[in-house]
Amino acid sequence: MKLLNSFYAAVGIGVTILATTIGIANKTINPTPNVTPDLSYLIPQPDPVTSPDVTLPGTPVALKNTRLGTRQSPSQPQVPLLSNANAQWQLYDRPAEYPKSVTLPAQWITMRDGTRIATYVTLPADESGRPINAKFPVIVIQTAYSAGVAGKVSAIAGGADPEMVKRGYATVVADVRGTGNSTGKWEAFGKVEQQDAYEIIDWSSKQSFSDGNVGLYGVSYLGITAMLGAATQHPAIKAAFPIVPMGDAYRDILFNGGQLNTNFIPLWMSLITLLSTLPIDTLVQDPITGKLTALDKIINSTEFQIPLFANALKGKADAFDNDFWQERSLLEQANNIKVPTFIVGGTRDLFQRSEPLWHEALKGHTTVKTFIGPWAHIQAAQLFPSLPKGNVPRLDKIQLQWFDQYLKGINTGAETLPNVTQWVHGYEDYVVSTDWPHVALEPDRLFLNTRGNLAKDRPTSSSGENYLLQAPTFGLCSSTVEQVLIGATSILPFPCLENSNLANIPASVFNSVPLTEDYYLNGPIQADLWISSSSKDSGLVVRVSDVDPRTGNAKTLSTGIITASMRKVDESRSRYIKGQMIQPWHTFKASDIQPLDKNKPVLVNVEIPATAALIPKGHRIQISVVSSDVWKGVAPLPSLTSSLLGSISIYSNSQYPSSVVLPKVPTQYLKH
């Protein structure tokens, strides 16, 4: 491995020489215009509300501490959650109450507009497989993956968990509008689907098998619809247990950093379309209606899926943040969720950005517990079980404990579970805390310098400029592959899927000196880069890695991306911790586009999703900057064509001091 990394480094030197040659030639023809930079962001910002008159000598200054805002709400003061500080995980289980479960034939709920929603009811059963005639709490699941097809193959796609049913729970699985055996038009997570959720929950709570208490559950799309259902505030809902739920459709996945996901999204939409054209249960009951339903699904794909993706790629209205995306970003509705909610996320998940944000959004008005594991998307469903570990149980046992407490009224101790549980890479174990972001987080700004180092001190040299080639195809093999392909590549024995070494060949790389003590980072990360380009636009990808001196492996911890022309930040919605902005809120609005002037330096803030890692003593912290990651995103065509074959300069000098703000937490807080 060390030899291979040396080869990568040698190739990287060659690429750097080429990029530098092109960059110098570009600057010779078009010199860098002198710009007076605004460096006020380097000074910790006072709290504008609580700070006294800072002009008085010796007056203490309260620093700005805010949560991340939303489209509808500016940042609010951060109120740390300090309760439950001594919480520990506990194993919970109880024996099955019934020997079997049985799924009834498909039935349909008629919505307010006549649309028919297919549902599948699973009930506890006796030894003969006959349903038990009793009332049970109901777990409601809403899927887009066809409960009558994929749901019969795997419960994570939309099927009942037989172990929960045997423990006295009924389950209702519904195909959301326009998918599976349901009629209507699919418009993922839109207002109509949100209104349907209320009616599905209402129907489920009033059936003869229901005791009137409803819990919401699901993985991925099903986890998102669980949150969507919780936001309806139907009185029957008592708790929710979403696994890897999205929070912001635009920022999490579709247009991460303003760049279109051209890998996962087309495959995902195609899968839903394919499964929807197989309405098996409808075909069995009424072949003619079944064929017409399948035809409607095909037509629907030409009215929603295909136009949405095509127009986004062309850079039309939905390539920017607008009402369409706000409607589908459920963090905007977090204040409507009032029931106890258990959030499960993953450090390599598609929705890595939003999962801890759910904790922050809910903690002020309901009971919330957050569990972040070391997994990608499908691994969160425990297809490749990594639990139990120590005293942390399997997710299905946690789900049982959660629903037993809030749906059955059993005192399981669910409310005393740790508030936040996170897998810490490098520590290789789960760590509990009272809140997210961590209450002891200290923003730690490290500067990029001309020698390729990361340092605490701001550069003093007037020179310092690294050159990057602009191309949209870098990052073919990187840690992003596993994240975007939902963990499907985790079994492949390719080191480049976990380490940054190969992906760093076209990058500018900056390393800290070997650490003299362990470094614990936990939270969101922000890179503040001074750049210029010979083109009107450019992409920027920033990776944070842990470099092992024994092998030279640079293990990727988190990756951020931004389109330079979409760099506009709304400071009133950004996160500040102890006066430092550490999570920018980019507006991504069409009206805020800022094309680059040739070779003119500008400040670009890059949001890097939160992670948790212990970088051991002797290792190095690495920041690498490259112009693209083809798996992370591709700029819409107008931006892409204006950035091809350009040259990017990354400045690291006294006038334009590029830096990164890391979320440092004292290692004393590493506790199980």
Side-chain angles (χ1 to χ4, degrees):
M1 182 59 68
K2 199 164 187 176
L3 183 62
L4 183 61
N5 289 335
S6 297
F7 171 73
Y8 291 155
V11 176
I13 291 172
V15 173
T16 299
I17 292 172
L18 175 61
T20 302
T21 302
I22 294 173
I24 292 174
N26 162 52
K27 291 298 184 72
T28 301
I29 299 170
N30 299 285
T32 302
N34 188 42
V35 174
T36 302
D38 179 2
L39 301 181
S40 59
Y41 66 92
L42 296 176
I43 302 170
Q45 302 297 300
D47 186 328
V49 177
T50 61
S51 289
D53 188 348
V54 296
T55 62
L56 298 176
T59 303
V61 177
L63 296 177
K64 192 173 183 179
N65 285 281
T66 60
R67 297 162 46 171
L68 191 69
T70 66
R71 296 168 181 82
Q72 300 181 86
S73 174
S75 301
Q76 301 298 314
Q78 183 66 265
V79 180
L81 185 62
L82 302 175
S83 61
N84 212 22
N86 297 316
Q88 296 291 324
W89 276 98
Q90 52 190 283
L91 299 176
Y92 176 82
D93 200 3
R94 60 181 176 84
E97 301 173 45
Y98 304 96
K100 292 185 178 180
S101 64
V102 60
T103 299
L104 306 181
Q107 48 193 308
W108 281 261
I109 309 171
T110 301
M111 297 286 104
R112 60 206 170 278
D113 60 355
T115 298
R116 300 174 72 238
I117 300 296
T119 59
Y120 299 81
V121 176
T122 302
L123 299 173
D126 60 21
E127 285 286 0
S128 301
R130 292 188 297 266
I132 301 297
N133 184 19
K135 293 183 180 295
F136 305 100
V138 181
I139 297 173
V140 172
I141 300 170
Q142 300 173 75
T143 181
Y145 302 120
S146 185
V149 180
K152 292 181 178 179
V153 177
S154 173
I156 68 168
D161 179 349
E163 296 307 311
M164 290 294 291
V165 178
K166 291 176 186 177
R167 284 162 175 77
Y169 289 91
T171 300
V172 173
V173 181
D175 288 336
V176 300
R177 177 182 295 248
T179 70
N181 283 277
S182 293
T183 63
K185 183 178 180 180
W186 181 59
E187 293 185 338
F189 313 120
K191 283 292 184 187
V192 174
E193 187 172 316
Q194 295 174 36
Q195 293 166 2
D196 288 347
Y198 187 95
E199 295 185 49
I200 292 167
I201 293 164
D202 189 66
W203 180 89
S204 301
S205 69
K206 294 176 179 177
Q207 299 306 296
S208 60
F209 54 77
S210 172
D211 70 359
N213 295 304
V214 169
L216 304 174
Y217 171 82
V219 180
S220 187
Y221 194 110
L222 293 65
I224 301 167
T225 56
M227 300 302 275
L228 180 152
T232 68
Q233 297 187 345
H234 191 288
I237 303 169
K238 299 300 186 293
F241 199 99
I243 298 176
V244 289
M246 178 181 71
D248 189 315
Y250 187 94
R251 289 166 175 79
D252 285 1
I253 180 67
L254 267 296
F255 274 97
N256 189 261
Q259 302 219 3
L260 178 62
N261 184 307
T262 57
N263 302 291
F264 171 76
I265 294 302
L267 292 174
W268 171 70
M269 286 186 163
S270 298
L271 173 64
I272 291 177
T273 301
L274 175 62
L275 291 173
S276 295
T277 58
L278 300 171
I280 303 298
D281 292 296
T282 307
L283 286 165
V284 169
Q285 290 198 11
D286 185 342
I288 294 177
T289 301
K291 291 175 183 177
L292 291 174
T293 300
L295 180 61
D296 283 343
K297 307 293 178 58
I298 295 172
I299 295 172
N300 178 44
S301 70
T302 68
E303 297 174 346
F304 177 68
Q305 294 98 300
I306 295 174
L308 174 64
F309 189 80
N311 290 334
L313 189 60
K314 293 175 184 176
K316 295 189 175 180
D318 290 338
F320 305 97
D321 197 7
N322 56 22
D323 291 344
F324 177 88
W325 298 113
Q326 177 172 320
E327 183 179 300
R328 289 162 172 79
S329 297
L330 295 182
L331 274 169
E332 302 289 334
Q333 300 185 42
N335 286 337
N336 294 332
I337 298 175
K338 307 293 186 182
V339 297
T341 303
F342 195 104
I343 305 287
V344 177
T347 58
R348 293 186 174 92
D349 186 49
L350 279 173
F351 310 133
Q352 173 192 357
R353 175 185 180 274
S354 273
E355 286 150 356
L357 295 180
W358 274 115
H359 177 88
E360 183 174 58
L362 296 176
K363 68 179 183 180
H365 58 271
T366 191
T367 299
V368 60
K369 308 293 181 181
T370 301
F371 189 103
I372 308 291
W375 41 62
H377 205 60
I378 58 174
Q379 295 160 341
Q382 298 299 290
L383 292 182
F384 308 101
S386 57
L387 292 173
K389 181 173 175 58
N391 63 344
V392 180
R394 298 200 319 252
L395 287 181
D396 59 338
K397 301 304 180 185
I398 303 173
Q399 177 198 352
L400 177 66
Q401 183 177 10
W402 196 252
F403 284 150
D404 274 0
Q405 175 86 39
Y406 295 109
L407 270 67
K408 284 183 173 285
I410 302 172
N411 183 12
T412 68
E415 76 281 2
T416 63
L417 291 174
N419 296 345
V420 177
T421 304
Q422 294 172 278
W423 179 265
V424 178
H425 293 284
Y427 189 63
E428 300 307 302
D429 207 344
Y430 290 99
V431 172
V432 300
S433 58
T434 62
D435 202 4
W436 188 95
H438 200 287
V439 295
L441 190 160
E442 290 280 347
D444 187 21
R445 186 179 294 276
L446 300 179
F447 290 92
L448 286 56
N449 69 30
T450 187
R451 296 182 299 278
N453 294 333
L454 283 176
K456 286 290 293 181
D457 296 329
R458 179 175 158 183
T460 56
S461 173
S462 59
S463 63
E465 186 173 350
N466 292 63
Y467 300 98
L468 298 176
L469 298 175
Q470 287 185 229
T473 54
F474 295 138
L476 286 171
C477 188
S478 69
S479 62
T480 311
V481 179
E482 180 185 7
Q483 187 171 37
V484 171
L485 294 184
I486 63 175
T489 61
S490 61
I491 60 173
L492 298 178
F494 300 143
C496 57
L497 294 176
E498 185 170 341
N499 300 326
S500 304
N501 301 70
L502 177 61
N504 280 348
I505 286 177
S508 287
V509 179
F510 303 85
N511 292 300
S512 71
V513 297
L515 299 174
T516 58
E517 59 184 12
D518 291 348
Y519 191 106
Y520 177 28
L521 61 86
N522 186 341
I525 303 167
Q526 177 171 321
D528 299 322
L529 302 180
W530 284 94
I531 74 153
S532 66
S533 174
S534 61
S535 301
K536 292 183 179 180
D537 208 351
S538 69
L540 287 174
V541 175
V542 182
R543 297 188 185 93
V544 181
S545 303
D546 168 9
V547 181
D548 185 339
R550 296 169 301 172
T551 62
N553 284 344
K555 180 181 176 64
T556 310
L557 301 175
S558 192
T559 303
I561 189 171
I562 190 66
T563 304
S565 64
M566 301 179 80
R567 64 188 181 276
K568 174 70 173 179
V569 169
D570 184 343
E571 294 184 9
S572 73
R573 285 171 166 76
S574 298
R575 180 191 305 281
Y576 284 80
I577 296 181
K578 298 189 176 177
Q580 297 280 359
M581 188 196 296
I582 198 170
Q583 190 171 17
W585 176 271
H586 294 96
T587 63
F588 296 121
K589 293 184 178 297
S591 58
D592 289 335
I593 292 297
Q594 299 174 318
L596 299 174
D597 294 329
K598 185 179 287 290
N599 294 337
K600 179 180 178 180
V602 297
L603 176 64
V604 179
N605 309 113
V606 185
E607 178 184 5
I608 304 170
T611 192
L614 179 69
I615 303 177
K617 176 182 176 180
H619 285 215
R620 297 174 186 262
I621 302 170
Q622 182 182 95
I623 302 297
S624 54
V625 186
V626 69
S627 62
S628 66
D629 185 324
V630 69
W631 291 96
K632 192 79 171 172
V634 175
L637 291 176
S639 174
L640 183 64
T641 55
S642 65
S643 64
L644 290 174
L645 305 178
S647 173
I648 302 173
S649 291
I650 306 294
Y651 297 95
S652 53
N653 55 41
S654 56
Q655 186 175 12
Y656 308 119
S658 295
S659 59
V660 62
V661 184
L662 299 176
K664 187 176 183 180
V665 175
T667 54
Q668 70 193 58
Y669 289 96
L670 286 168
K671 61 180 182 178
H672 301 286

